């Protein structure tokens, strides 16, 4: 049996166990969304996600705390954004507001992931814009993200920041700032023909604010002008099985090597790769052949790299004609603190050590042309360069350790590839165990009743046992105590 086949059988087995425990009831496991298109897993929010009600003006904006993750919503299709986060906040523009309380020393980043309805009819330019503004309405930064030429509903992420930088006059003071999220594009999100088509033009949002501490004064602001821009050979060898997550919070841990997964049209998979200061990340993805090879889907396979604050670093998309196809990220410079002073991406966003995210999407249109799948997916990851000291943060990042061990992560010094793979396997095992723990929780009442019955039988048996048998049973109990049931 292949690893892929074995993994599929394990998934089916776990699903069967859920049904056996839960009966006919519906169980909402952590991180799940109530409604999803058939065969396409819904976006997985963080288990500890908080609710943040969107406000249509700054006076009602709820406060966002760095380190927490929030779930909110955005009306889409009711109007188009201004393209820079400015405006009067009227409902015609569809803008929503959130509040930040910031000091004068830390840099704040806010990423917003928007999740269009499965089956929504989207235009190329449909997406979101995100800005951070000060109390005077001045924009500190702005970013936008769109679904692109595939027009396939998928999670898209934009980000904005209040950066503390020497010589920068705006947005350097402590005080109240606002996160502004707006719909952008043609506003053509309709009911579509997919399963999600209900005329509801509200997109779910996942908002993740992060705080970066300052560094010692005198840190270099010079961006290195030279770096190794050659493309190395991709890793080869036996692929290891992995199951990509359905959101940033559930991103599957991978290290350097070859990884084997599956994907269905319309699905988005998330992976995370720890990248230290001074290292370079190279990645490519391959999708297997379909059941037929006639036709062509433009921008069918998409690979996007995001940094630890979920800001997009770079993206590549390729078409699909039914035969195997690959997409590779362009070589990018090593991760350095000074990269933030570069004029543009990808260098500008490669400013932190920590988990970087590889996000893979297969367009929904592939199903119509080549079948529902699943399609084989191969992820190849290589790390170049050499680890360098961090910038010397003067404080802790929030959440703790998001920018690597220099910002508080509890990781062994000098961990090599073997250590990373061991931790990856452990994380993969933990992901599987989490499913079974959820099943156990769902069946807690039934399990408790069974334990009470078994306990009663045991008590009767002990009372009826002879003295010699009791001594033997006591010995068995000691063994059981040394090997408790999980």
């Amino acid at each position: 049996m292949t690893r892929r086949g074995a993994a599929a059988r394990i998934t089916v087995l776990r699903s069967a166990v859920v049904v056996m425990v839960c009966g006919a009831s519906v169980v909402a496991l952590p991180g799940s969304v109530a409604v999803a298109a058939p065969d396409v897993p819904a976006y997985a929010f963080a288990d500890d996600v908080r609710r943040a009600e969107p406000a249509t003006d700054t006076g009602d904006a709820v406060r966002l705390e760095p380190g927490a993750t929030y779930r909110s919503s955005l009306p889409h299709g009711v109007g188009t954004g201004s393209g820079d986060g400015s405006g009067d906040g009227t409902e015609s523009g569809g803008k929503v507001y959130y509040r930040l309380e910031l000091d004068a020393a830390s840099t704040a980043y806010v990423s917003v992931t928007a999740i269009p309805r499965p089956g929504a009819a989207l235009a190329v330019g449909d997406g979101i814009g995100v800005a951070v503004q000060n109390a005077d309405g001045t924009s500190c930064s702005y970013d936008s993200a769109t679904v692109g030429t595939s027009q396939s509903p998928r999670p898209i992420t934009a980000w904005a920041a209040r950066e503390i930088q020497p010589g920068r006059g705006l947005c350097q003071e402590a005080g109240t700032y606002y996160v502004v999220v707006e719909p952008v594009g043609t506003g053509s999100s309709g009911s579509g023909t997919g399963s999600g088509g209900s005329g509801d033009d509200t997109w779910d949002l996942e908002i993740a604010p992060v705080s970066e501490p300052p560094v010692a004064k005198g840190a270099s602001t010079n961006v290195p002008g030279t770096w190794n821009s050659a493309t190395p050979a991709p890793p080869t060898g036996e692929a290891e099985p992995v199951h990509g997550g359905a959101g940033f919070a559930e991103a599957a841990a991978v290290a350097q090597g070859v990884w084997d997964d599956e994907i269905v049209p319309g699905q988005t998979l998330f992976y995370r790769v720890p990248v230290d200061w001074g290292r370079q990340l190279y990645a490519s993805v391959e999708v297997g052949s379909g059941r037929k090879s006639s036709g062509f889907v433009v921008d069918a396979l998409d690979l996007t790299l995001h940094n630890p604050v979920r800001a997009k670093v770079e993206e590549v998309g390729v078409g699909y004609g039914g035969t195997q196809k690959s997409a590779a990220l362009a070589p990018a410079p090593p991760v350095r603190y000074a990269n933030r002073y570069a004029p543009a991406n990808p260098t500008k966003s490669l400013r932190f050590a920590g988990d970087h995210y590889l996000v893979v999407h297969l367009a929904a249109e592939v199903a119509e042309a080549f079948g529902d799948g699943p399609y084989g997916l191969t992820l190849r990851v290589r790390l170049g360069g050499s680890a360098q000291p961090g910038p010397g943060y003067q404080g802790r990042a929030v959440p703790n350790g998001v920018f690597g061990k220099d910002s508080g992560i509890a990781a062994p010094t000098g961990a090599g590839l073997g250590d990373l793979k061991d931790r990856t396997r452990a994380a993969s095992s933990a992901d599987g165990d989490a499913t079974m723990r959820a099943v156990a929780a769902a069946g807690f009442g039934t399990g408790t009743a069974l334990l009470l019955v078994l306990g009663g039988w045991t008590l009767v048996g002990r009372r009826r046992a002879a003295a010699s048998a009791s001594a033997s049973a006591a010995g068995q109990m000691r063994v059981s105590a040394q090997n408790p049931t999980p």
Side-chain angles (χ1 to χ4, degrees):
M1 182 188 303
T2 64
R3 286 192 175 114
R4 186 176 295 155
R9 293 196 177 187
I10 291 172
T11 302
V12 171
L13 176 60
R14 286 175 175 162
S15 300
V17 173
V18 172
V19 173
M20 292 172 62
V21 172
C22 302
S25 62
V26 177
V27 177
L29 298 178
S32 64
V33 178
V35 180
D39 302 323
V40 178
Y43 184 84
F45 289 85
D47 288 344
D48 58 352
V49 70
R50 304 178 186 179
R51 180 68 190 175
E53 293 298 330
T56 55
D57 61 74
T58 57
D60 294 327
V62 299
R63 181 178 179 179
L64 304 178
E65 297 281 354
T69 306
Y70 297 87
R71 181 171 181 173
S72 192
S73 58
L74 175 71
H76 205 284
V78 297
T80 56
S82 60
D84 60 0
S86 63
D88 59 7
T90 59
E91 290 186 0
S92 62
K95 298 180 181 68
V96 294
Y97 296 84
Y98 310 89
R99 178 167 52 92
L100 299 169
E101 299 295 339
L102 305 179
D103 60 29
S106 302
T107 291
Y109 302 91
V110 181
S111 70
V112 180
T113 299
I115 303 99
R117 294 178 298 101
L122 303 176
V124 173
D126 284 340
I128 60 167
V130 179
V132 170
Q133 298 176 353
N134 65 14
D136 292 326
T138 300
S139 181
C140 307
S141 71
Y142 176 84
D143 183 42
S144 63
T146 63
V147 295
T149 55
S150 72
Q151 303 179 43
S152 179
R154 62 186 176 104
I156 55 175
T157 302
W159 69 288
R162 192 292 300 265
E163 296 184 74
I164 298 296
Q165 291 187 358
R168 184 169 181 173
L170 296 175
C171 303
Q172 302 297 289
E173 304 83 8
T176 300
Y177 291 77
Y178 297 96
V179 179
V180 186
V181 185
E182 63 179 0
V184 298
T186 63
S188 65
S189 301
S191 60
T193 59
S195 62
S198 63
D200 180 5
D201 294 314
T202 298
W203 291 9
D204 280 330
L205 302 177
E206 184 175 60
I207 307 173
V210 173
S211 178
E212 181 187 29
V215 297
K217 291 183 178 180
S220 175
T221 60
N222 296 323
V223 181
T226 60
W227 49 275
N228 183 8
S229 60
T231 302
T236 58
E238 190 71 17
E240 297 192 40
V242 67
H243 301 289
F248 284 102
E250 285 192 355
V254 295
Q256 178 169 294
V258 186
W259 304 89
D260 181 53
D261 204 346
E262 287 184 338
I263 192 169
V264 296
Q267 187 176 14
T268 303
L269 297 175
F270 292 75
Y271 309 88
R272 57 184 174 89
V273 186
V275 183
D276 206 349
W277 301 102
R279 303 301 301 273
Q280 290 177 271
L281 175 61
Y282 306 92
S284 64
V285 64
E286 305 162 17
V287 66
S289 57
R291 295 176 182 174
K292 56 181 181 178
S293 57
S294 61
F296 191 79
V297 177
V298 177
D299 201 13
L301 179 64
D302 187 274
L303 173 62
T304 308
L305 173 64
H306 296 261
N307 70 17
V309 300
R310 305 183 181 182
K312 186 173 78 172
V313 178
E314 61 174 311
E315 181 179 13
V316 61
V318 295
Y320 183 72
T323 58
Q324 63 272 19
K325 195 68 177 178
S326 66
L329 296 175
V335 171
R336 296 188 179 102
Y337 183 85
N339 285 347
R340 66 193 60 215
Y341 302 110
N345 281 334
T347 304
K348 189 176 182 67
S349 291
L350 290 169
R351 59 174 70 186
F352 320 104
D355 283 342
H356 286 62
Y357 299 90
L358 295 169
V359 182
V360 180
H361 178 74
L362 186 63
E365 190 181 350
V366 170
E368 300 177 10
F370 305 106
D372 293 338
Y375 293 77
L377 190 75
T378 302
L379 183 67
R380 301 180 189 273
V381 178
R382 182 179 293 281
L383 290 171
S386 58
Q388 303 293 328
Y393 284 118
Q394 304 297 297
R396 294 276 183 173
V398 183
N400 187 36
V402 66
F403 303 130
K405 57 179 176 291
D406 187 56
S407 64
I409 195 169
T413 302
L417 176 60
D419 299 317
L420 286 173
K421 287 197 172 182
D422 288 342
R423 292 201 298 276
T424 299
R425 295 189 187 100
S428 178
S429 176
D431 290 343
D433 292 343
T435 302
M436 300 312 294
R437 285 196 298 271
V439 171
F444 179 76
T446 303
T448 302
L450 289 172
L451 288 174
L452 290 173
V453 172
L454 292 173
W457 289 346
T458 303
L459 181 60
V460 171
R462 287 179 180 169
R463 287 180 174 178
R464 291 178 178 178
S468 59
S470 297
S472 175
Q476 293 176 355
M477 290 172 61
R478 285 191 296 272
V479 172
S480 297
Q482 295 170 0
N483 298 276
T485 301

